[in-house]
Every structure is written in structure tokens, then in C-alpha cells.
Amino acid sequence: MNRILGVVATALVVACGSSVPEVPSTRHEPRSSPTTPPTIDAGTIDPPAPDVDAAVDAASAPDGASTGVLYPSPDWPTGLPSDVALDVAKLDAAAAIAEANDSYCMLVIRHGRLVYERYWNGTNPTTRNPSWSIAKSYTSALVGIAIDRGDIRGLDQRASDFVPEWQGTDRTQITIRDLVSMTSGLKWDAFEDYVSLATFASDDTTFAIDRPLVDPPGSKWTYDNGSVQVLERVFRVATGHTIEEYAALHLWPRIGSTASWKHDPSGNPTTYANVLASCRDHARLGYLYLHGGSWAGTQVIPSTWVTATLTPSQPMNKAYGFLWWLNGATPALDAMSVAWQGRMVPFAPTDLFAMRGFGNQFVDVIPSLDMLVVRFGKDPMVGFDVVKLAQDSRFTLHDQILAPVLQAVTP
């Protein structure tokens, strides 16, 4: 009951203006050769986006043997903060903030070494944490892999190729690009998205597919859980597997992760929320993207997909790529479409990109510092704290934790 009340409170906060079936298993025949995503206009980012191809080249040797790039095989190499020019007192200050705010973990990884790690509230390095919308970034990675393998023809393929309910309707215009850039144009409101879909729907995929079109696809950016859930159907039809099965074949074992996906009452993986993995394993996906989709000499995700993903996907919110958050440009909108004053995290390097989830869950990747910062914590709905709910979409707690971490970087 507390969870339901909490979700309703979230919808009410948002409404008040605060920023707070069985699916056919027929496999879609792939093209005869793998495809790559179309070139994406990078827009204006200052400074330029990191050189992804260079990162891939640097990581080309097995286990980084000839380049010094370290990979967690089987687990993260460790070290001291001082080994990588970090001030432990500043990291302790960040950890104190995390501990005081119902956190499960805080990790700092620099130059491939896990140099700072704290756990609270009965968790440890093997605890699998719900990740909320961080799952969207996993979904994005798997779309890139599916395009590369030819299971999906490309970003501009119509989603209706995999969703027969949309054929012959105005929703036939919606493309895979629209789904991964949050511009589908499908009907959205806070109550439907956070209560009807996330709490009460018995079949999240059917619920998401059945919504009407209210805006031309590509014309409006709306952070929409339902649009991402449509990709659950896309994967079943395109690949003959659920997205969870696809990840178990083509992603998680290739980066050493042990993970699973939450299901709705009908057994559908919730592509918009809750990949279950340890804090260390969630960091692996960020590290994969830090190195341009390459892992110990193997290209797990095409570098072209990584580059496109970390580029603004549309002009309305340049803080959003393909289901990843970006810090390089404006206008920047939060998950409730409220504008930040300037960039998403104005005090952080512009090349920061992130996986973000409800409750200030985050995996921040900062290429210019060769660093990842990870924090997971309790579901803020549990305590029915309206102030926390209102602040959540602004990621205030994230900023409070990240600031001293960045201050910890020494010359």
C-alpha cells in the first residue's frame, strides 16, 4: 500500500507542476549483412564529444595488455584513491552524504581500478539492486546490438513492422528512432505513466502499445516509460527472444555481468525499468561505453552506436541521447520536462554522460577524468516523503554526492 500511495503522490506532485499478450515468436528475418545506424547530426557540444574511435583503438588488445587499459576480469582491479590522484577525505564526505540519504552503495572507479567502495543498509558487493530507469540504457545498448546483427534494419525502420496493432493506423509512422529518443508522440500523462502502467497494468507491453497517437512522431520530447516498453514487443518479434534472453546471449556474458530483468505480471521484461544487478556489475555497462563499446579487445556494441547514443537525439532536449543522459549542451530538460538552468550538471565536465534511475540511482561516466561514479539507494516512495518525490527528477541528491567526488580530483 505504501508503494501505491507513493506512486500516486508522485503523479500528484507532477500534476501540480513540481519537478519532481502473448506475442508471436516468429523471427523477423535479418538482412544478409549487419547494418550500422545512420549518421546522426551531433549538434553543438562544447567541448567536442570524446574521440570514440580512439578509445576503441586503445582498448583493442586483450585485457588491455599493450595499452594499460584494465578490465574487470573476473572482477574489478582495486587500488587506493591516492593511486589515481583522488583525495580520500573528499570521497569520505561524498560517502557521508550518500549514507545519510538511504544509499545502498557508492563506488568510484578511475583508470580501470575500483578505488572507493561503500555499502549500507544490509547490502554488499553481490547484492542485486533494482535500477529503475537505468534499465533504459541497457535497452539502448541492446537496440544497437540488434541493429548491428541485422535483427533490426536500422533506426528509421518502422516499429509497426513488429507491432501489428499499429499497422494501418496513424501510429505506423513511429520509428525505432522515435522510441529510443522519447519522441514517439504517443499519449502520455503522469498518472498513466507512473500509476496505470508502472503499478496497476497486468501487461505493460499491451498497455503501452494500446495508447493513441497525440503528436506527430519526432515533434515533441516526453520522458515516456511506455514508449520504451514498446521495444519489449519489438525484441520478441525481431529476434525470437525476449530482451532479457537477448541480453543473456549478446551483452551480459560478454562484459562479465550477472544480471536479470524484472517482469510484469504477464511475464514481460520491463524494458523501461529494473535490470537487477550488483553495483559493480551496473558499472560495467558504463565502462563499456567509456571504451566505445569495446571490451578487452572485442567490439560488443558498434562504436558508431555508442557515438550516436552519446549525441543529442533531438533538438528539444539536448541532455538526452538514445536512452542515456548527456551533460554537454542546452536546452536541457529533466524527466518531467522542466528545464535546468543551463546544462544538466553545470559544475561537472561537459563530456559526462549517465545512466539515471528513479530515486537518484546513477552511473556517471566522465571520459575526461577516466572515471565512473556509481550510487544506488532505497526506493523514495517507501517513506511517502513528498519533498523527496518532488526533488527526485531534479537529481539534487546526485549533485550533492558528485560535487565532493569531483573536488577529490587532485593535480
Side-chain angles (χ1 to χ4, degrees), residues 74-404:
D75 211 340
W76 290 97
T78 59
L80 299 173
S82 57
D83 296 337
V84 293
L86 292 174
D87 181 346
V88 69
K90 296 291 187 182
L91 299 182
D92 285 341
I97 296 170
E99 181 178 16
N101 286 274
D102 293 328
S103 294
Y104 291 144
C105 71
M106 182 185 124
L107 278 61
V108 179
I109 296 163
R110 194 172 196 205
H111 305 325
R113 295 189 179 276
L114 176 58
V115 297
Y116 195 88
E117 182 176 42
R118 297 291 184 271
Y119 293 92
W120 305 277
N121 293 300
T123 64
N124 60 54
T126 65
T127 303
R128 293 194 187 187
N129 297 292
S131 59
W132 300 98
S133 286
I134 279 177
K136 292 180 173 69
S137 298
Y138 285 91
T139 296
S140 175
L142 291 160
V143 170
I145 291 171
I147 290 174
D148 185 54
R149 291 178 54 81
D151 294 320
I152 297 172
R153 291 201 301 272
L155 281 168
D156 295 319
Q157 183 172 9
R158 292 185 174 188
S160 59
D161 288 351
F162 314 105
V163 184
E165 295 95 322
W166 287 1
Q167 294 171 8
T169 74
D170 54 1
R171 291 168 294 179
T172 194
Q173 309 167 56
I174 300 172
T175 64
I176 302 300
R177 183 191 302 275
D178 297 322
L179 297 178
V180 297
S181 60
M182 297 292 194
T183 59
S184 71
L186 292 169
K187 180 180 181 292
W188 181 94
D189 65 53
F191 188 88
E192 279 202 358
D193 206 41
Y194 289 97
V195 181
S196 300
L197 171 65
T199 304
F200 294 126
S202 62
D203 186 323
D204 289 9
T205 302
T206 298
F207 183 95
I209 287 171
D210 284 350
R211 294 174 302 156
L213 191 73
V214 296
D215 293 298
S219 67
K220 180 180 179 181
W221 186 87
T222 303
Y223 191 81
D224 176 16
N225 292 316
S227 288
V228 183
Q229 186 60 23
V230 173
L231 290 165
E232 192 279 321
R233 171 70 66 80
V234 170
F235 268 87
R236 283 184 187 260
V237 178
T239 73
H241 296 286
T242 68
I243 194 170
E244 182 180 32
E245 293 166 347
Y246 203 75
L249 287 170
H250 304 300
L251 177 59
W252 294 331
R254 302 184 75 187
I255 62 174
S257 286
T258 301
S260 59
W261 220 304
K262 182 183 175 183
H263 296 175
D264 69 13
S266 295
N268 303 311
T270 51
T271 45
Y272 66 92
N274 286 328
V275 165
L276 309 174
S278 70
C279 295
R280 290 182 178 187
D281 278 356
H282 282 305
R284 290 172 186 258
L285 186 63
Y287 200 67
L288 177 66
Y289 272 70
L290 174 64
H291 292 289
S294 178
W295 192 271
T298 299
Q299 199 68 38
V300 179
I301 305 172
S303 62
T304 50
W305 180 257
V306 174
T307 301
T309 295
L310 304 183
T311 298
S313 56
Q314 31 61 48
M316 291 79 75
N317 182 12
K318 292 187 177 181
Y320 209 72
F322 293 149
L323 307 180
W324 286 72
W325 292 90
L326 315 175
N327 195 42
T330 59
L333 309 178
D334 68 18
M336 294 301 167
S337 295
V338 177
W340 276 292
Q341 296 300 311
R343 293 185 288 112
M344 181 176 70
V345 191
F347 61 83
T350 55
D351 63 351
L352 179 151
F353 59 91
M355 306 156 65
R356 288 187 160 192
F358 183 68
N360 279 251
Q361 325 274 25
F362 65 86
V363 177
D364 280 358
V365 185
I366 311 174
S368 57
L369 298 178
D370 194 17
M371 187 161 73
L372 285 81
V373 185
V374 180
R375 182 266 174 187
F376 283 79
K378 290 183 179 180
D379 179 352
M381 291 179 183
V382 172
F384 196 58
D385 189 325
V386 175
V387 174
K388 283 186 178 180
L389 291 170
Q391 292 175 342
D392 191 77
S393 67
R394 304 304 286 173
F395 257 61
T396 304
L397 176 59
H398 162 274
D399 293 355
Q400 292 171 350
I401 294 171
L402 182 63

Side-chain angles (χ1 to χ4, degrees), residues 37-58:
T39 301
I40 308 296
D41 181 3
T44 302
I45 300 181
D46 183 21
D51 186 343
V52 174
D53 291 332
V56 172
D57 291 341

